Amino acid sequence: MSEPGSEPNAEEMWDPQVVRWRDPEGDYVLPHALRSLPRPWDENDWRRVAELPRTDERLAEARRVLTVLLEDPALAPQVPEPPSPGLLRHVWEEFHQAVGESMPRPSQVTWSGVDELVRAWRDRPQSYPLHRHVVRHVEAAMLAMIPLLRDDIADSVFRWLALDPDPGRFAPWAVDLAERCVIEDIGADQALELLGAMGSPEARAALERLSVKPGGPASWENAEAAQNTLFDLGSEGTSGL
């Protein structure tokens, strides 16, 4: 952030050109797909998710949640990329945290609630240029919140599945979803951890496909993480020799 009295940088002057959208169902900010997820998947509360029993009903629910996160295009909006030095994304995340504290469930996030937060931020005694940028262009901050929520929810589903004493039993349906999530970079770290924990031939084959670089289906970073997971599996297989 620029110092008081200095010339504003490109990020502080940036116009993301995101206009406020209106939901036909009401004053909602977040897409219907996020608002309609079953509890507690729709809340950023890992403690509650971790305590869920892995019953057939809950497993089917988790499967549906991952499918929605992958397939609903409303959860993958085109978020404009702030110019260098890229500090604005950190302030967006600070605003997202404030939104989550005041409106913890997606169905509670409304434009009137967001505007109330904007007024509170404007009234703060000390405000940096990028904080002022967020309240001037709050729509861009809220647009950026959608894919982050999608990522957090997928992350919690994969973490929950990996807690099972025998995650390999989920392979018939979870391998495909985990592989697709790594390719789409949705909860990718935890998806890779689950593939490693499952240890089934199907999971290992998915890791092999994901590890291809360059030109593979996953990003360079995720392909490298898949390679590391395969290496760890190989090390485990030889540790008893």
Side-chain angles (χ1 to χ4, degrees):
M1 302 179 189
S2 61
E3 295 295 326
S6 64
E7 288 295 320
N9 63 34
E11 198 167 21
E12 294 162 7
M13 299 297 292
W14 176 57
D15 181 359
Q17 298 185 349
V18 176
V19 298
R20 181 165 298 197
W21 55 94
R22 298 295 178 184
D23 193 290
E25 298 178 357
D27 190 35
Y28 302 112
V29 177
L30 301 174
H32 176 83
L34 289 178
R35 303 197 310 268
S36 60
L37 292 177
R39 288 186 174 184
W41 303 111
D42 65 337
E43 300 175 65
N44 193 15
D45 187 347
W46 169 244
R47 180 187 57 80
R48 290 191 62 201
V49 170
E51 292 173 351
L52 291 176
R54 273 165 288 283
T55 61
D56 289 345
E57 180 183 5
R58 285 299 190 180
L59 289 167
E61 200 172 72
R63 184 177 182 177
R64 288 195 299 272
V65 167
L66 289 172
T67 301
V68 168
L69 297 179
L70 276 164
E71 296 183 353
D72 195 311
L75 304 184
Q78 292 297 313
V79 180
E81 184 65 34
S84 179
L87 296 175
L88 184 57
R89 284 196 172 272
H90 297 295
V91 189
W92 281 352
E93 290 174 6
E94 184 182 342
F95 192 80
H96 298 162
Q97 183 176 355
V99 171
E101 290 171 356
S102 62
M103 297 169 275
R105 300 189 63 224
S107 60
Q108 297 171 333
V109 182
T110 60
W111 285 117
S112 55
V114 168
D115 288 338
E116 187 174 329
L117 278 176
V118 164
R119 287 190 290 271
W121 273 41
R122 282 181 177 146
D123 292 340
R124 294 194 303 185
Q126 185 175 14
S127 182
Y128 290 101
L130 290 183
H131 291 120
R132 294 194 291 271
H133 187 282
V134 167
V135 300
R136 286 198 311 271
H137 301 287
V138 69
E139 291 80 9
M142 296 311 298
L143 190 68
M145 188 175 183
I146 295 170
L148 288 178
L149 273 176
R150 178 189 58 173
D151 188 67
D152 286 346
I153 293 167
D155 183 280
S156 68
V157 175
F158 289 125
R159 286 176 69 190
W160 177 73
L161 291 172
L163 287 175
D164 192 84
D166 180 22
R169 67 192 181 99
F170 310 134
W173 60 270
V175 167
D176 176 64
L177 289 173
E179 182 175 4
R180 290 171 61 193
C181 281
V182 174
I183 292 169
E184 298 296 328
D185 202 18
I186 305 169
D189 289 344
Q190 292 300 325
L192 287 166
E193 282 207 20
L194 178 64
L195 288 171
M198 284 193 286
S200 66
E202 303 98 321
R204 185 179 288 271
L207 287 167
E208 294 281 2
R209 291 190 293 270
L210 293 167
S211 68
V212 175
K213 62 174 188 176
S219 69
W220 184 278
E221 182 179 357
N222 287 340
E224 197 162 83
Q227 288 182 355
N228 291 336
T229 303
L230 284 168
F231 178 80
D232 291 341
L233 289 174
S235 298
E236 290 172 7
T238 60
S239 60
L241 298 179

